[in-house]
Amino acid sequence: MAHVSFKSKDVDSGMSRWSEYLSVEEPIPSAMATWRNMSADAPQGSSAGSHKHLQMEPVVQLSKVAEGLLAKMYRLNSILDYPDPNTHTFSDAFWKAGVFPNFPKICITMSKKFPEHPNKLQLERVDKFGLDALNENAEGYMHNLEQWILLLLDLLAFREQALRLILDLSSTVITLLPHQNSLILHAFMDLFCSFVRVNLFSDKMPRKMILQVYNILHIMLKGGRDCEFYHRLVQFVDSYDPPIKGLHEDLNFVSPRIGEVLEAVGPIIFLSTDTKKLRNEGFLSPFHPRYPDILTNSAHPMRAQDLANVTSYREWVLLGYLVCPDELLRVTSIDVAMVVLKENLILPLFRDEYILLHENYQLYVLPKVLESKRMAKSGRTKQKEADLEYNVAKQGSA
């Protein structure tokens, strides 16, 4: 039965569960190749080097898995004519796609009432004819939804594994700065950004409807029992509604490390927008800025490497401050964020899918920053009052 195969896949938490996304025929990503070369070139007795290699390969692989998950979600959205599950807007093509039973009243009711259990919704009052038809054809409808339920399970497993790896790296690597651990930093931030993108994209899928419709079909076929992963998926989907709420909570533990990284790449982002400074440092022309007849090589190679990575750094800033807003309270962070936000209106997720950047910052970042500032101000006020009371008491006892 279908639920047996789901169980076996769900238990498999290692990289083998991702074979669908890690095809051996595809070229190895450059970061993966670099790590393999480093491992091969390392001295045989270097156990530390091999340990680092063993830790890094899953990080690069999971970033590749994220690409596969994005592609699969994009495919579902294409089949379903790009629904808007947040406003419960679904076209005729959505219902005719064959993924969901063509009973809009029932499906939309279950989605709107999420996470209420389907058995409590009294669906016979919503559409008695539709409910009877669901019962009659439950097996076929359930079969149509199986691969999309599997996708939800993959998203759940990806969340758990990615968070473990992000935690492991952020807590074991002493410094995550461009000039000291460049390869580790890029692999770490690639996974971090992939994790954020996957979960932001998942909001464009009708996740609640997939889960609720599948579960009621399972109940009809299995005599009243939930599908075994139902409660875990309910908790997962609910915690990411909206996704940025879940991302704030999930990534709270790594927020200070992300803040360090964004602070470190800030100067390069500033430099990349300062044409005059770039010219004076020799990046825009091989000629001396004040003596046009003289060739110069004043451009510093390390700065040049940083500038080559500035596109990645900007992506880190946009995603980093979106999901770790407390880091905007650092000294230069607002300035760094403003430079990048001025140049970007949307945040690309995958192909032509995106979110509106400024709208999301307005909704989810600014309130959190203002709240943090209020709390800090309140803390300073209380400290001043405590100091005053202490000084008065001290003078009184003198």
Side-chain angles (χ1 to χ4, degrees), residues 387-398:
D387 290 345
L388 186 63
E389 284 180 21
Y390 173 76
N391 289 331
V392 169
K394 194 176 176 183
Q395 287 169 5
S397 62

Side-chain angles (χ1 to χ4, degrees), residues 101-106 123-124 126-137 141 217 220:
N102 194 356
F103 304 113
K105 288 182 182 177
I106 287 180
L123 294 172
E124 64 278 356
V126 175
D127 183 357
K128 177 73 166 64
F129 169 79
L131 194 62
D132 290 343
L134 268 185
N135 258 307
E136 286 174 26
N137 302 287
Y141 292 137
L217 293 168
M220 288 172 175

Side-chain angles (χ1 to χ4, degrees), residues 129-168:
F129 169 79
L131 194 62
D132 290 343
L134 268 185
N135 258 307
E136 286 174 26
N137 302 287
E139 199 159 342
Y141 292 137
M142 193 171 170
H143 176 74
N144 292 346
L145 275 173
E146 278 174 5
Q147 63 174 315
W148 308 117
I149 265 295
L150 275 172
L151 177 54
L152 287 185
L153 284 170
D154 283 344
L155 289 169
L156 173 62
F158 174 77
R159 175 207 191 186
E160 292 168 352
Q161 286 191 41
L163 284 174
R164 272 199 300 271
L165 283 175
I166 290 169
L167 173 61
D168 185 42

Side-chain angles (χ1 to χ4, degrees), residues 316-373:
W316 297 356
V317 165
L318 291 176
L319 291 168
Y321 289 132
L322 181 62
V323 296
C324 301
D326 288 345
E327 302 314 309
L328 279 166
L329 300 175
R330 291 169 179 259
V331 178
T332 60
S333 295
I334 294 280
D335 295 330
V336 177
M338 287 297 289
V339 165
V340 184
L341 282 167
K342 279 178 184 175
E343 297 177 352
N344 295 271
L345 294 175
I346 63 168
L347 180 65
L349 297 178
F350 186 76
R351 296 181 188 168
D352 55 346
E353 292 279 8
Y354 62 89
I355 62 169
L356 297 172
L357 199 55
H358 293 257
E359 185 178 298
N360 278 274
Y361 265 77
Q362 185 80 27
L363 284 173
Y364 303 110
V365 177
L366 290 183
K368 196 137 187 177
V369 172
L370 292 172
E371 181 191 342
S372 298
K373 283 184 174 178

